[in-house]
Amino acid sequence: MHTAFFLLLGASLARFLLRHPGEPRTPWVIALGAALLTLYALGPVLGPQSTDRGPHVRSWSPPPPSRAGRAPLPGRFGAVVVIWVVLVLLAPSFAWCAVPLFYTGLRTLPERAALLLVALLTAFVVGAQLRLAGGFDPYLLLAPPAVAAIATAVFLHMERQAARQRALIDDLIRTREELAATERREGTLAERQRLSMEIHDTLAQGLSSQQMLLQAADRTWADAPETARRHVRTATEITARNLAEARRFVHDLAPAELAGGVPLHEALRLLAARERGPGLEVRFHLDGAPAPLPDRVQSALLRIAQGALANVREHSGATTAAVTLSFLGDQVVLDVADDGRGFDTAAGGPRPVAETRPAGAARPVVGRGHGLPAMRARAAQLGGALTIESAPGEGTVLSAALPLEPAP
């Protein structure tokens, strides 16, 4: 439509110059044509404003969502219309430039104001065509209003259909999000129920049996020591079975990325590829020869990497992140670095101080598992340390170092 306006404007000016060379009004027509071209280019073509009526629709001014609440006529568009009216009065051949202005007005103005503008422009087109014809012509009197009415009706009908389609798409997206949230809640409840049933049928029953056997052994210890020892041996066997069940639970709850014996460096490589997306490039580096790691060490480092990358994606505004796994002989180090906005670690943010506690001495962390306290707790539970280095505008580097037991 913008291209059509420029072509019509150029054709109208060329027609006028060919038909009326050297007339006194010619400089005014040329000046007004140049002004009209400049204002139109600064408005709908180069204007940075966009509407909220769809991701692919751009308009001169940003109207509110409903047509009834749109903004009044923009200043530039009003100036364009005024200059066009003057041009039509000076040179009727500029009348057909009104067609692109119809659609600009329909997209920009409230419905009643847009219809009034279309009627006004159509009246000027009819008057200009009758002047060019040199007399009364019923065709020129009826054809432009009919074409304008059909074009306006089609435009308004399509716009209403588009509005209904956008509302339907919004409803579908909202329904899909609600369905996904419901499925997540149902999955969580189902998993809780499964674990409660498993614990009740195995660990709880075993602990109850142990209690009964130990109580019986305590009652018969003096009178029937052999029976008491038999009860203790049975309780010991039940304890062993319960320990095996507890280990099975822990194994089942371990990260799925490490299932089937997948090594940590491969799991981190897959994690980096999965976190890679629009606006964020994530790379993985392996430093040193991979060594066998205990399951709990692999699980802790993978969870720390997941939490760190979640923070990078959600808070840092970074475009590049690097995950590095280093095997340094007596320890394994995980580094997650990004080129984001960073933060002042001395102003209440995370502190770049290693917090090392003996294994098992870490406080329980309440809240989101991806938080820095949870990462510190995971490292501290394994006798390691978590350090953070950051500064405003210089990105962030998170480093988790865990000690390794010497190989036998």
Side-chain angles (χ1 to χ4, degrees):
M1 194 58 63
H2 300 327
T3 303
F5 177 83
F6 294 135
L7 290 176
L8 290 171
L9 182 63
S12 301
L13 182 61
R15 184 179 187 279
F16 175 81
L17 294 177
L18 290 174
R19 296 290 182 90
H20 308 281
E23 292 190 4
R25 56 178 173 166
T26 299
W28 288 100
V29 171
I30 296 175
L32 289 173
L36 182 61
L37 174 67
T38 302
L39 284 176
Y40 190 90
L42 293 176
V45 177
L46 302 180
Q49 300 146 333
S50 62
T51 70
D52 53 355
R53 290 187 235 166
H56 307 294
V57 180
R58 297 191 65 83
S59 172
W60 199 336
S61 65
S66 63
R67 175 180 283 275
R70 291 185 188 177
L73 183 66
R76 288 178 183 170
F77 184 49
V80 166
V81 174
V82 171
I83 293 176
W84 175 84
V85 169
V86 176
L87 271 175
V88 172
L89 295 176
L90 292 176
S93 58
F94 286 87
W96 288 109
C97 294
V99 176
L101 300 182
F102 285 169
Y103 289 98
T104 302
L106 290 170
R107 294 176 58 195
T108 305
L109 303 176
E111 186 170 315
R112 291 184 179 179
L115 294 177
L116 181 61
L117 176 66
V118 169
L120 176 64
L121 296 180
T122 304
F124 272 92
V125 170
V126 171
Q129 293 303 309
L130 291 176
R131 285 178 58 192
L132 288 175
F136 179 77
D137 188 342
Y139 175 80
L140 296 178
L141 181 64
L142 299 177
V147 173
I150 294 174
T152 302
V154 170
F155 180 89
L156 294 178
H157 177 70
M158 292 178 62
E159 188 181 53
R160 293 187 182 109
Q161 281 189 328
R164 287 194 294 267
Q165 186 180 31
R166 285 193 296 271
L168 178 61
I169 291 174
D170 291 341
D171 290 340
L172 290 175
I173 292 175
R174 184 167 54 253
T175 302
R176 185 178 63 182
E177 292 174 350
E178 293 174 355
L179 180 60
T182 301
E183 291 178 348
R184 285 194 296 269
R185 287 195 298 269
E186 291 179 352
T188 301
L189 293 175
E191 183 64 13
R192 288 178 178 176
Q193 183 178 7
R194 184 188 72 83
L195 287 176
S196 66
M197 293 174 61
E198 289 276 353
I199 293 173
H200 176 270
D201 295 339
T202 55
L203 298 182
Q205 295 289 351
L207 291 173
S208 178
S209 299
Q210 292 173 45
Q211 183 184 25
M212 294 174 60
L213 289 169
L214 292 176
Q215 288 175 349
D218 182 61
R219 288 194 302 268
T220 60
W221 193 268
D223 299 333
E226 186 61 32
T227 303
R229 282 193 289 272
R230 187 167 60 250
H231 290 331
V232 172
R233 286 194 295 270
T234 305
T236 303
E237 294 173 0
I238 295 175
T239 303
R241 288 198 297 271
N242 277 6
L243 181 59
E245 288 290 343
R247 287 173 175 168
R248 183 178 66 83
F249 288 154
V250 173
H251 182 270
D252 289 344
L253 294 175
E257 294 85 348
L258 299 173
V262 176
L264 177 61
H265 61 276
E266 289 298 332
L268 291 174
R269 194 186 307 275
L270 294 175
L271 175 64
R274 189 166 60 249
E275 293 290 335
R276 196 176 298 132
L280 179 61
E281 176 68 21
V282 182
R283 295 189 296 267
F284 172 75
H285 305 282
L286 177 63
D287 187 9
L293 298 175
D295 291 343
R296 58 178 185 168
V297 172
Q298 294 192 84
S299 178
L301 290 177
L302 180 60
R303 294 303 190 203
I304 291 174
Q306 290 173 335
L309 289 178
N311 287 340
V312 170
R313 183 177 60 254
E314 296 174 9
H315 306 299
S316 71
T319 59
T320 303
V323 180
T324 305
L325 181 66
S326 304
F327 291 86
L328 305 179
D330 60 343
Q331 65 177 349
V332 57
V333 179
L334 173 71
D335 296 315
V336 180
D338 67 77
D339 62 350
R341 61 178 62 94
F343 56 89
D344 185 3
T345 57
R351 294 170 296 171
V353 178
E355 294 187 12
T356 305
R357 297 189 182 96
R363 292 191 299 257
V365 176
V366 179
R368 205 176 80 149
H370 289 165
L372 293 177
M375 299 181 203
R376 285 197 174 95
R378 290 185 187 276
Q381 287 172 353
L382 298 174
L386 183 79
T387 59
I388 300 174
E389 298 177 1
S390 183
E394 296 183 7
T396 302
V397 178
L398 180 147
S399 180
L402 301 182
L404 294 179
E405 297 179 359

